[in-house]
Amino acid sequence: MESTFETYVARLRERKAIAAGTAKETEAQHAKGRLSARERLDLLFDPGTFTEIDTLVLPRTERYLDGRSSRYGDGVITGFGTINGRHVFASSQAAGVMGGSLGEMHANKIVKVMRMAMTYGAPFIALNDSGGARIQEGVDSLAGYARIFDANCEASGVIPQLSIILGPCAGGAVYSPALTDFVFMTENSYMFITGPEVVRAVMQEQVSFEELGGGLIHSKESGVSHFLSKDDRECLLLVRDLIGYLPSNNMDDPPYILPVDDPNRRCPELESIVPVDSHKPYDVRQVIAAIVDDGRFLEVHQLWAENMVVGLARLNGYVVGLVANQPNVLAGTIDINASIKAAHFIRTCDAFNIPIITLQDVPGFLPGRHQEYGGIIRNGARMIYAYSEATVPKLMVITRKSYGGAYCMMSSKGLRGDLLYAWPNAEIAVMGAEGAVNVLFKKEVTAAEDPEARRRELVADYEERFNNPYVCAARGLIDDVIEPRDTRRVLIRALQATLSKRERHTGKKHGLSPA
Ligand code: HXC
């Protein structure tokens, strides 16, 4: 018997088929070395779980058409699905429909799915590939961007927000990603406020898309992008990886995984990775790999401000955020970008209940006019603010140097660091012995019979009396001096004791994190 629904179902199918996009659109993306909006969602989500909504939305101008529009979906696919079994909401712009440009209804779809993510407490991921504001929709398009920005701000700190840039992302479109927690770019994507033609007209300068705002530039120079991938596929797998470290929302804990790595494992290799001679560099990522579960470390902002290393890992199955000075780059000094990088990462961890582990080996601030003019004062203050504001467990290990302001700023007791440790070789002081003797004993050294011998004597004396971890330990400013090989087991015990931390801020409208 003929189904009475037949005609209706056929009409629905016709519309859905149009919304699914064409093979030509997909081929055009492939020709550019990119995937289509749907192929991207298929890779990002667990197979077969992505569920589309608002498939039949039409652009404002075509709202009353009868089913023959080529514009179903209005250039963006929105919906939800699972990533490793956990719910996530997403949007994916279709470059094949009016260049993926953002019109009023396209914006409404994105805002709707963002608000659903907030309501149901799940991460939101925006896949961007768009020519920006849809020119023919004029101010309706601009107003749409403003609504997206507003939703980004409201969702900030409530659910994880990730922006994935897989093609162009131009003009005001860049500000939604900039308001989110993590930005991913491929080598084949670009972001800029003013395009090459504007630069040419205003500045009389020739510049390519890649030079102006390619994935590499934003991952290495500007810090806009946190992760750089070769292509769409590699990028989307990395996004899945990151989601595995984040809670679904600010009320949840990050996902715990039953650990395989022994919590009592000693790490004797640390004693050869870190040279006792504090002038010698080493790669702090090797220290991190030795300490954390299975050596797995997801580094964030790997190519930017490399003198500070930040990223996510697990300790005995619990997600932790690591903030570490990198002696291999600029001797591990703190500069403007390192402060900004650390501050943002600390605030992200704090928002999502991720304990922070700081590894200190820092000679102080990077000196110079460039740093002072660039505002190291206000930018360094951001890091202090972030550590002080964070109410998650704050653990710290001084592996070698901890000098001056850097001592105070990085998770110290004064900033309510929870459990702080130092290795026995640690140098913790206002400044290095040479500098201290030059300031304190200038007259005495000059007046001595053998000034050089006297200077050496005073330096040795200073090192003996001040420049060791025991002065700090004697005042309870660190909680213990530990053997380097015990670092993992000590941190795991400290983490387990502090996971139940309950600290609340005093009521205020909001603080004023330095500009
Ligand atoms: C409407 C657009 C569009 C846009 C592209 N298209 N961008 N339609 N509004 N912003 C359309 C094209 O007309 C074309 O339609 C189709 O999409 C594909 O575009 P192509 O140029 O053929 O593709 P490609 O060579 O890959 O180049 C992609 C591009 C380029 C680099 C993105 O299209 C481009 O430069 N677009 C304009 C970018 C821009 O200036 N946007 C406004 C930024 S200002 P047909 O029908 O021919 O297939 C802005 C302000 C936001 O965004 C402020 C928010 C606060």
Side-chain angles (χ1 to χ4, degrees):
M1 200 177 78
E2 197 175 288
S3 161
T4 48
F5 283 100
E6 199 174 350
T7 328
Y8 295 101
V9 171
R11 278 192 202 153
L12 172 64
R13 285 185 183 166
E14 187 191 349
R15 284 166 164 81
K16 292 244 168 144
I18 296 169
T22 63
K24 208 169 131 212
E25 282 162 23
T26 304
E27 278 156 25
Q29 283 293 94
H30 290 182
K32 291 180 193 157
R34 300 182 185 136
L35 298 175
S36 74
R38 273 177 209 284
E39 287 173 325
R40 287 167 176 164
L41 290 167
D42 287 344
L43 273 176
L44 177 61
F45 285 91
D46 297 337
T49 65
F50 185 75
T51 309
E52 190 174 349
I53 58 167
D54 277 344
T55 322
L56 301 174
V57 160
L58 284 173
R60 170 69 84 185
T61 43
E62 299 195 31
R63 188 168 287 169
Y64 304 108
L65 289 189
D66 66 352
R68 279 170 202 86
S69 172
S70 61
R71 304 285 163 78
Y72 280 115
D74 201 19
V76 63
I77 304 167
T78 56
F80 50 88
T82 62
I83 294 183
N84 294 321
R86 293 167 59 221
H87 273 97
V88 172
F89 289 77
S91 64
S92 180
Q93 292 176 315
V97 183
M98 293 173 277
S101 59
L102 185 133
E104 180 193 0
M105 299 309 290
H106 178 124
N108 286 355
K109 281 181 69 171
I110 296 176
V111 171
K112 187 201 256 188
V113 80
M114 287 174 79
R115 294 208 175 274
M116 287 176 79
M118 275 186 258
T119 304
Y120 307 119
F124 175 69
I125 302 178
L127 307 184
N128 293 259
D129 188 346
S130 166
R134 186 173 299 156
I135 298 160
Q136 58 272 39
E137 289 202 33
V139 76
D140 285 330
S141 158
L142 299 183
Y145 271 123
R147 288 197 298 280
I148 294 175
F149 301 160
D150 193 49
N152 281 133
C153 297
E154 211 178 315
S156 178
V158 179
I159 51 166
Q161 299 184 84
L162 278 56
S163 298
I164 326 300
I165 319 299
L166 300 163
C169 179
V174 300
Y175 279 116
S176 172
L179 288 164
T180 61
D181 311 325
F182 296 99
V183 177
F184 291 69
M185 290 186 79
T186 58
E187 287 171 9
N188 191 9
S189 69
Y190 44 91
M191 296 175 84
F192 43 73
I193 288 281
T194 54
E197 63 295 348
V198 180
V199 176
R200 193 164 50 242
V202 179
M203 317 292 286
Q204 280 83 50
E205 247 179 68
Q206 291 283 359
V207 62
S208 69
F209 282 123
E210 290 72 25
E211 286 170 314
L212 196 59
L216 183 63
I217 293 295
H218 285 309
S219 304
K220 212 173 153 55
E221 301 296 332
S222 71
V224 166
S225 160
H226 299 81
F227 297 97
L228 176 67
S229 300
K230 175 168 80 22
D231 56 22
D232 290 19
R233 190 174 297 271
E234 188 184 286
C235 178
L236 295 165
L237 292 180
L238 191 59
V239 175
R240 284 178 62 91
D241 206 13
L242 176 67
I243 287 287
Y245 289 96
L246 302 175
S248 294
N249 58 66
N250 65 324
M251 311 287 274
D252 268 5
D253 286 327
Y256 167 83
I257 289 182
L258 204 62
V260 180
D261 206 346
D262 179 4
N264 288 312
R265 176 170 60 78
R266 288 201 156 81
C267 318
E269 67 274 31
L270 286 173
E271 292 159 26
S272 46
I273 294 171
V274 179
V276 175
D277 177 352
S278 67
H279 296 293
K280 291 209 171 124
Y282 63 93
D283 186 353
V284 76
R285 285 176 292 203
Q286 287 180 12
V287 174
I288 295 170
I291 295 170
V292 301
D293 290 0
D294 313 310
R296 283 174 61 93
F297 176 53
L298 180 61
E299 191 173 350
V300 177
H301 263 150
Q302 189 176 11
L303 301 174
W304 183 63
E306 291 176 79
N307 44 332
M308 186 74 82
V309 170
V310 303
L312 297 158
R314 282 191 161 80
L315 264 185
N316 207 24
Y318 296 100
V319 175
V320 291
L322 286 124
V323 179
N325 308 112
Q326 172 59 291
N328 251 358
V329 180
L330 297 172
T333 50
I334 297 174
D335 66 354
I336 293 168
N337 288 348
S339 308
I340 296 172
K341 173 172 167 175
H344 185 261
F345 183 72
I346 292 162
R347 299 191 87 188
T348 307
C349 289
D350 187 46
F352 295 120
N353 310 316
I354 300 173
I356 296 159
I357 295 181
T358 303
L359 300 179
Q360 263 200 51
D361 187 352
V362 54
F365 286 92
L366 182 68
R369 192 180 291 143
H370 182 71
Q371 288 293 309
E372 299 292 349
Y373 286 14
I376 183 60
I377 297 175
R378 64 185 165 77
N379 286 298
R382 293 194 204 196
M383 188 165 69
I384 304 180
Y385 197 97
Y387 269 119
S388 168
E389 185 187 45
T391 57
V392 288
K394 294 180 276 197
L395 312 179
M396 194 258 277
V397 180
I398 300 172
T399 58
R400 261 185 355 184
K401 297 189 287 287
S402 176
Y403 283 113
Y407 161 82
C408 318
M409 289 165 73
M410 294 189 70
S411 205
S412 64
K413 277 288 174 205
L415 296 174
R416 283 167 296 135
D418 291 286
L419 281 163
L420 315 181
Y421 298 92
W423 287 3
N425 54 307
E427 303 167 15
I428 312 171
V430 174
M431 58 172 75
E434 303 274 347
V437 167
N438 286 346
V439 175
L440 293 176
F441 303 107
K442 201 162 147 190
K443 285 191 194 127
E444 191 178 327
V445 168
T446 325
E449 218 166 275
D450 181 348
E452 188 42 36
R454 182 64 189 139
R455 202 186 59 80
R456 275 203 303 272
E457 216 171 80
L458 286 164
V459 165
D461 183 53
Y462 179 91
E463 262 165 7
E464 167 82 22
R465 282 170 53 193
F466 297 110
N467 208 2
N468 60 61
Y470 300 107
V471 183
C472 236
R475 285 160 177 73
L477 291 172
I478 50 171
D479 297 290
D480 208 358
V481 180
I482 60 167
E483 293 186 28
R485 62 184 56 205
D486 287 337
T487 304
R488 171 175 163 83
R489 58 201 298 264
V490 166
L491 280 174
I492 287 175
R493 285 173 181 223
L495 179 66
Q496 272 164 332
T498 54
L499 276 172
S500 54
K501 185 173 177 183
R502 288 151 201 247
E503 198 175 290
R504 289 270 174 277
H505 291 297
T506 49
K508 51 183 163 184
K509 188 173 175 193
H510 58 72
L512 289 156
S513 175

